[in-house]
Amino acid sequence: MKSAVIVFPGSNCDRDAAVAITRVTGHAPRMIWHRDADLPDLDLIVVPGGFSYGDYLRSGAMAAHSPIMAAVKAKADKGVRVLGICNGFQVLTEAGLLPGALMRNQSLSFICRDVLLRVETSNSDFTSGYNAGQVVRIPVAHHDGCFFADEATLDRLEDEDRVAFRYCDAQGNPADAANPNGSRRNIAGILNPGRNVLGMMPHPERLADPLLGGTDGAPMFRALAAALS
Amino acid sequence: MKAKVHVTLKPGVLDPQGKAVHHALESLGFAGIGGVRQGKYIELDVAETDPAKAKVQVEEMCKKLLANTVIENFAIDLEG
């Protein structure tokens, strides 16, 4: 699997993503600076978490228009897998690669803790390592994670099986109390129509090694490596 | 020419920050506030001197970057 991690000024999960990928593939991904306008031949692009451009204007707004994102869009259009985590999810919505927007958490607090997610679909190269309905524990760390989209868009996401993860309780119920940030319909991650772009607020790369206290994030990287190798 | 851009949340989009400001104003004793919605104000100096052309230009800026039209509306005032 040939992979790359995009690095913006203010990215801070780029190396975590690189470690998680290296762990399953044995090969380090290319680290691509945001000013580059070209991408090499790739199977997977990670748009990592962090605070690109200091969250100026809106989270992800500036990064979405940086030179590299035109190349990421072109690759995504050709079917290359693109994984946006946290700030990466914000960047992908701002860039128009995914619908909706990530708004300030309803509590107004920065939330940094493990949450439970129900895997909604195993029908993607990102989620094929999980069973639909499975509950996994993945950390979140964000201030702007409240997923918003209009009702028609939300219905379409559900009808097309494009909700990848929902915040849930231990029994797998997407309860209000299990929703950390006020996201519409407890949505934590979504796919594009081609199912080759995934954006999610939680951080699978942060729980992909036993030393970090859990491995529920590892199946995502293993599944990608298996599908793309 | 100066362009003054107001970016506001669309009706129906929840504004927890506006709500918090509302509560803070009430706790300061300001009564009779129906609601608070928080937005952004952006001032631009544009070289274009023709107001119609400047408006088209700034509208394009709003759609592409200054506002996220999924959640926000924008209004443009031109001066000078």
Side-chain angles (χ1 to χ4, degrees), chain A residues 85-207:
Chain A
I85 302 168
C86 196
N87 188 221
F89 186 13
Q90 295 161 342
V91 173
L92 294 180
T93 58
E94 284 282 347
L97 279 166
L98 290 170
L102 282 313
M103 303 187 61
R104 182 53 44 101
N105 295 340
Q106 221 165 75
S107 64
L108 298 177
S109 302
F110 188 97
I111 304 164
C112 184
R113 61 176 166 86
D114 290 357
V115 297
L116 297 178
L117 303 176
R118 187 174 76 191
V119 180
E120 296 293 302
T121 181
S122 56
N123 179 19
S124 78
D125 287 342
F126 306 95
T127 55
S128 62
Y130 303 105
N131 297 316
Q134 186 181 345
V135 175
V136 294
R137 179 172 62 92
I138 307 275
V140 292
H142 60 245
H143 210 166
D144 296 317
C146 175
F147 180 72
F148 176 87
D150 59 36
E151 290 296 310
T153 303
L154 294 169
D155 288 344
R156 195 165 62 244
L157 286 170
E158 289 179 348
D159 292 346
E160 295 174 0
D161 191 30
R162 286 165 51 197
V163 177
F165 299 101
R166 269 184 230 270
Y167 303 107
C168 70
D169 61 21
Q171 285 72 46
N173 302 311
D176 282 348
N179 187 341
N181 51 30
S183 288
R184 290 285 169 106
R185 304 189 192 180
N186 281 46
I187 289 172
I190 56 170
L191 292 154
N192 72 334
R195 312 187 83 75
N196 63 308
V197 179
L198 170 71
M200 62 189 296
M201 286 312 297
H203 286 271
E205 81 284 13
R206 289 196 188 177
L207 272 190

Side-chain angles (χ1 to χ4, degrees), chain A residues 12-105:
Chain A
N12 65 9
C13 300
D14 44 335
R15 292 181 191 201
D16 303 58
V19 168
I21 290 169
T22 307
R23 202 177 153 78
V24 294
T25 62
H27 303 290
R30 300 270 297 268
M31 307 302 279
I32 309 270
W33 185 233
H34 70 118
R35 279 192 186 283
D36 292 352
D38 300 306
L39 285 166
D41 183 31
L42 289 169
D43 303 305
L44 171 70
I45 300 166
V46 177
V47 186
F51 300 87
S52 56
Y53 298 86
D55 283 348
Y56 290 173
L57 195 63
R58 296 177 305 277
S59 298
M62 314 300 285
H65 301 286
S66 63
I68 196 63
M69 282 311 293
V72 172
K73 271 192 219 176
K75 290 281 187 194
D77 287 344
K78 285 186 185 149
V80 172
R81 308 311 186 257
V82 178
L83 170 60
I85 302 168
C86 196
N87 188 221
F89 186 13
Q90 295 161 342
V91 173
L92 294 180
T93 58
E94 284 282 347
L97 279 166
L98 290 170
L102 282 313
M103 303 187 61
R104 182 53 44 101
N105 295 340

